[in-house]
Amino acid sequence: MSEADVEEIKAGLRDEFGGQGWLIVYSSKGRWWAFRGPLTRETFNATGDVEADCPEELRARLREIMAR
């Protein structure tokens, strides 16, 4: 996967989830991550990070979390 591909995928994920406070990261180990925070007192028990093998898996996990 090229750097341009990664940036395009990250932009799509940010468009979909960035408004809900998620930061999208692709690691040098080939893993996809989403982080949000700082969590407030009201959201302290909410999920703050998600890890996935591929962007599709990350998208599915984020959608599941946001549907709760």
Side-chain angles (χ1 to χ4, degrees):
M1 181 177 316
S2 74
E3 190 172 326
D5 292 337
V6 168
E7 289 305 316
E8 184 177 338
I9 293 166
K10 285 171 57 177
L13 289 166
R14 279 192 301 266
D15 286 346
E16 188 170 351
F17 301 104
Q20 289 124 16
W22 291 100
L23 172 68
I24 307 300
V25 176
Y26 180 68
S27 76
S28 61
K29 303 284 186 191
R31 301 286 293 164
W32 288 87
W33 293 83
F35 300 97
R36 67 177 169 180
L39 298 177
T40 64
R41 183 182 321 183
E42 293 80 19
T43 62
F44 184 74
N45 291 323
T47 302
D49 63 276
V50 180
E51 179 183 9
D53 291 325
C54 64
E56 295 80 14
E57 181 183 353
L58 184 63
R59 178 175 280 112
R61 288 184 177 181
L62 287 170
R63 284 179 177 165
E64 178 183 316
I65 289 167
M66 298 311 297
R68 292 182 194 159

